[in-house]
Amino acid sequence: MAGSPDKPFRGPFYGVEKDGPSYFPYPTIAWDYINRAMPASNPGSLKPNEVYALVAFLYYRNGIIKETDVMDEKSLPKVEMPNKNGFVPAKPVYPPEKKPSWY
């Protein structure tokens, strides 16, 4: 969670504020990580509804969803992440550009 526990950061993310689950472009990234890696003492032991509850809590505390929003397998992919356009996809150039002979 970005910000402090009593005052979460709720706004666009720039520079050093790019941390926490709000930084990721897709809402399912946090679910996948929590599902596979949490809790640290027993990774992968959480039930799917517990993972959805944790993701909903994190997204609520970061101002991404409302407290009354329901989080499940159908609603999670529809969440609009604040940094969804913050990553630039690689654009390969084909055929490769010709370089000058002196290069």
Side-chain angles (χ1 to χ4, degrees):
M1 182 167 62
S4 60
D6 60 335
K7 188 175 180 185
F9 181 80
R10 298 177 191 265
F13 287 75
Y14 302 104
V16 298
E17 297 157 347
K18 289 184 176 181
D19 58 0
S22 300
Y23 176 64
F24 299 112
Y26 305 107
T28 53
I29 293 173
W31 191 95
D32 180 56
Y33 176 77
I34 292 170
N35 185 50
R36 289 184 296 122
M38 297 293 173
S41 60
N42 191 9
S45 64
L46 296 176
K47 295 180 177 109
N49 62 340
E50 294 172 322
V51 179
Y52 283 113
L54 283 169
V55 171
F57 173 76
L58 288 172
Y59 287 174
Y60 164 68
R61 291 295 300 221
N62 278 275
I64 299 171
I65 64 171
K66 298 175 189 163
E67 186 175 12
T68 57
D69 289 346
V70 175
M71 189 66 56
D72 59 19
E73 68 274 1
K74 292 181 181 177
S75 62
L76 178 62
K78 295 177 184 175
V79 172
E80 289 286 323
M81 299 301 284
N83 198 35
K84 71 177 184 172
N85 295 322
F87 292 86
V88 178
K91 289 177 71 177
V93 177
Y94 190 82
E97 295 177 17
K98 293 199 176 211
K99 295 184 179 176
S101 60
W102 50 265
Y103 190 71

